[in-house]
Amino acid sequence: NNYSEIELFNQKYPIDSCTNITPRITSKLNKQLHNKRGHPLFLTRQRIQNYFYNNFIKSSGNPLFAVFDNISPIVTPYQNFDSLLFPHDHPGRLATDTYYINSKHLLRSHITAHDEELIKMGFNAFLSVGDVFRRDEIDFSHYPAFHQLDGLRLFSEQELFHGIKDPTGLKLFENGNRTNDKQDKHTVDASKLVEFDLKHVLVGITQKLFGKDIKYRWVDCYFPFTHPSWELEIFYENEWMEVLGCGVLEQAIAINAGAGNKVGWAFGIGLDRLAMIQYHIPDIRLLWSEDRRFLDQFNVDNPETKIVYKPISKYMCRQTDISFWITDSFVSSDFYDLVRSVGGDNIERVALIDIYSDVKTARTSHCYTITFQHMERVISVEEVKEIHNHIALLAEQQLGVQIR
Ligand code: PHE
C-alpha cells in the first residue's frame, strides 16, 4: 500500500522502524540551490570553486581539482559514517540527529560521505558540493537542510616533498606513535607539510572571500576522519565565527580506498552562513525563498559582483499596467528611472511584460507592470492611482511616448 514505501528520485524505499524523514524534508531534495544560477549559494560556491580553478592548474592546463556537484544525497550509513571511521556510539548516527529513509539509506549529514568512493575512483584532488541534512530546529540561523563544499587532496611522497631542496631522508610513513600533532603512521615531516599546505590554501580562500585584512584563528578540534583537526574562525561583527573544519586525512581512509601510498588533507565549508554574511541576508530561511523580489537581487553572472541584500517588504503589494507607443529613441532604462524618481520608496519593481509592433502604422508599443509596495505600510489604492497618473503624464512630457 501507499504507506509502506517512499519514492525518492524514482526509486522506492521500504519504510521500516528507522524511517524518520518527513514530506517537508523530502520536498527539499530536488531544490539543488547550489546548482541554481544566480542564487546566493551558487554564487558563494562559484567564488570558492574559482579560487581553486585560478590557483591550481595542471601542466596540461586543466584544473587540478575535479568538481562534483550532482551526487545524490541518498547514501548508506556506511558512506556517511563507517567509511569515515565514526565510532559505533557516535551521536551523529542517532535518529534524533540524522534523517533515515530506512535502516539501509539516509540523507547524507555531510558531503564528506563521498570521499571514500571518489578516492577509490582515482581522484587525488577534488571538490564536492551539495545539500546535506540534519535534524534541527528551525529559526533564523538553523534549517534542517543546508549546503557544504568539501575539498580533498592527496600527495605522493614526490609531490609533498617536491619544493624541498634536499629531500633525502624525508619519508611519508613510519611506525610511530599517535600524538596530538600526528597519526601513528605519519612522520612529523609529512604531517607538518600537509598541515602547512592545507592552512595556506584555506587562508587563501578566506582572504579571497572576506578581504586580505580579515582576522582569523585556528582552533584545535576533533573529527573522526582527520587528525590533527582544526576549525578556522574569523572575527566578524565583534565575534569569532566558525567558517570551516579541516584536518590531515586519517590514513586508514586512504588505505581502505586504495591510496595507502599517499597522505592528504580534507576540509569542509558550510555555504549557507557564508552566503548570509557576504550578502547581509538576515535569515537562513530566505535562501529557500522563491520570491522574485529575493532572487532577482542575485541575478548576476559574475560571482564577484558586490551585492547587499535589500529586505523585502511584508506588506501587501499593488500592481498597475501601463502601455504606450514608443519613439525611435526610447530606451526602457529611461522609463525605469522616471518611475523610480516619481514613485520613490513606493516602487518595488518595474518590468517590461509585452512588446507589440503595429505593422500598418510601423509603431511599437511597450507594456510595463509597475509593482507598488512600501517597507513600512500598505499603500492605498488612491495613492497608487495618483503616482501612476503622474508617471503617465511625465512619460508623455519627458520621454515623448504616447499612452494607449
Ligand atoms: N564534515 C565535517 C562537518 O560536516 C567538515 C569536515 C570535512 C571536517 C572534512 C574535516 C574534513 O562538519
Side-chain angles (χ1 to χ4, degrees):
N1 74 39
N2 280 338
Y3 300 106
S4 62
E5 336 182 282
I6 305 171
E7 187 170 328
L8 300 168
F9 299 125
N10 294 320
Q11 180 89 34
K12 292 195 166 82
Y13 298 89
I15 287 177
D16 66 21
S17 61
C18 291
T19 305
N20 66 356
I21 52 166
T22 59
R24 206 194 57 208
I25 205 75
T26 54
S27 73
K28 306 292 178 213
L29 288 183
N30 51 16
K31 297 290 184 214
Q32 297 263 321
L33 300 178
H34 58 286
N35 288 331
K36 184 168 169 159
R37 211 195 68 81
H39 190 278
L41 289 166
F42 179 76
L43 296 173
T44 304
R45 160 254 167 112
Q46 270 189 307
R47 292 191 74 191
I48 300 171
Q49 187 174 320
N50 287 346
Y51 170 84
F52 283 91
Y53 282 166
N54 295 334
N55 289 286
F56 299 94
I57 301 155
K58 293 196 271 196
S59 50
S60 63
N62 292 327
L64 176 66
F65 284 81
V67 177
F68 301 91
D69 60 15
N70 210 3
I71 307 180
S72 167
I74 299 173
V75 299
T76 60
Y78 176 83
Q79 288 174 289
N80 201 74
F81 300 120
D82 303 84
S83 76
L84 295 167
L85 315 176
F86 276 67
H88 281 286
D89 59 356
H90 193 283
R93 293 181 184 259
L94 295 175
T96 50
D97 287 34
T98 295
Y99 285 108
Y100 284 86
I101 299 167
N102 57 31
S103 59
K104 297 201 172 67
H105 288 96
L106 53 83
L107 299 183
R108 64 187 168 209
S109 66
H110 56 174
I111 200 81
T112 322
H114 304 292
D115 280 1
E116 186 191 66
E117 54 195 298
L118 292 172
I119 299 171
K120 271 191 180 152
M121 288 166 76
F123 292 100
N124 290 316
F126 56 84
L127 307 176
S128 28
V129 195
D131 39 0
V132 302
F133 302 84
R134 288 183 204 171
R135 295 187 74 184
D136 209 341
E137 75 215 76
I138 297 184
D139 66 20
F140 74 95
S141 67
H142 297 88
Y143 203 78
F146 53 104
H147 302 79
Q148 290 183 327
L149 184 152
D150 264 37
L152 185 141
R153 180 162 189 195
L154 295 171
F155 299 87
S156 66
E157 188 165 288
Q158 198 202 343
E159 283 166 335
L160 191 65
F161 298 142
H162 113 115
I164 289 168
K165 268 221 186 79
D166 179 16
T168 28
L170 287 179
K171 289 261 160 296
L172 292 185
F173 302 112
E174 67 176 21
N175 269 321
N177 292 320
R178 189 174 175 102
T179 68
N180 284 340
D181 294 327
K182 72 167 203 75
Q183 299 170 31
D184 54 355
K185 293 202 168 58
H186 291 164
T187 63
V188 175
D189 299 326
S191 193
K192 283 285 167 200
L193 280 171
V194 171
E195 172 182 344
F196 180 81
D197 188 75
L198 169 65
K199 289 181 170 174
H200 177 75
V201 171
L202 294 177
V203 168
I205 297 174
T206 308
Q207 290 179 336
K208 166 157 178 191
L209 293 180
F210 297 103
K212 278 261 176 276
D213 296 327
I214 186 73
K215 236 166 88 182
Y216 66 87
R217 70 180 184 195
W218 294 100
V219 180
D220 291 331
C221 73
Y222 164 81
F223 297 107
F225 33 93
T226 51
H227 182 78
S229 307
W230 303 274
E231 274 165 3
L232 176 59
E233 296 185 343
I234 61 167
F235 198 64
Y236 176 77
E237 286 189 338
N238 279 315
E239 271 184 76
W240 286 103
M241 197 198 84
E242 180 203 325
V243 178
L244 58 85
C246 68
V248 179
L249 187 72
E250 282 286 355
Q251 198 57 30
I253 296 172
I255 294 170
N256 289 343
N261 59 339
K262 295 184 172 153
V263 295
W265 52 240
F267 70 83
I269 300 182
L271 295 178
D272 302 65
R273 204 147 36 123
L274 283 192
M276 289 169 70
I277 298 177
Q278 274 188 88
Y279 302 120
H280 300 266
I281 299 170
D283 191 314
I284 193 169
R285 288 166 289 203
L286 283 165
L287 294 174
W288 297 87
S289 169
E290 313 229 316
D291 193 323
R292 297 278 12 136
R293 296 173 297 163
F294 176 80
L295 293 171
D296 285 353
Q297 296 188 35
F298 303 95
N299 189 10
V300 294
D301 285 321
N302 180 356
E304 301 305 322
T305 310
K306 194 168 160 44
I307 300 169
V308 176
Y309 168 68
K310 290 187 248 17
I312 53 183
S313 167
K314 45 186 190 298
Y315 292 99
M316 197 185 83
C317 69
R318 298 185 194 276
Q319 293 189 319
T320 61
D321 286 351
I322 184 167
S323 299
F324 45 72
W325 298 107
I326 62 167
T327 63
D328 287 342
S329 60
F330 176 84
V331 284
S332 294
S333 54
D334 288 343
F335 181 65
Y336 296 145
D337 287 343
L338 186 146
V339 174
R340 297 235 170 251
S341 62
V342 177
D345 286 346
N346 298 301
I347 305 298
E348 200 280 309
R349 204 146 69 103
V350 192
L352 176 60
I353 56 161
D354 191 37
I355 300 178
Y356 163 74
S357 291
D358 186 286
V359 194
K360 272 199 221 123
T361 59
R363 289 197 302 178
T364 301
S365 139
H366 279 190
C367 180
Y368 295 85
T369 295
I370 305 173
T371 307
F372 297 78
Q373 192 174 42
H374 199 278
M375 280 303 290
E376 274 112 34
R377 59 189 177 83
V378 178
I379 307 176
S380 70
V381 180
E382 290 71 34
E383 276 179 282
V384 167
K385 221 183 249 165
E386 196 186 311
I387 300 168
H388 181 99
N389 289 341
H390 196 189
I391 289 169
L393 182 73
L394 288 186
E396 288 200 317
Q397 288 178 356
Q398 295 180 5
L399 306 178
V401 304
Q402 190 189 337
I403 304 289
R404 294 177 64 185

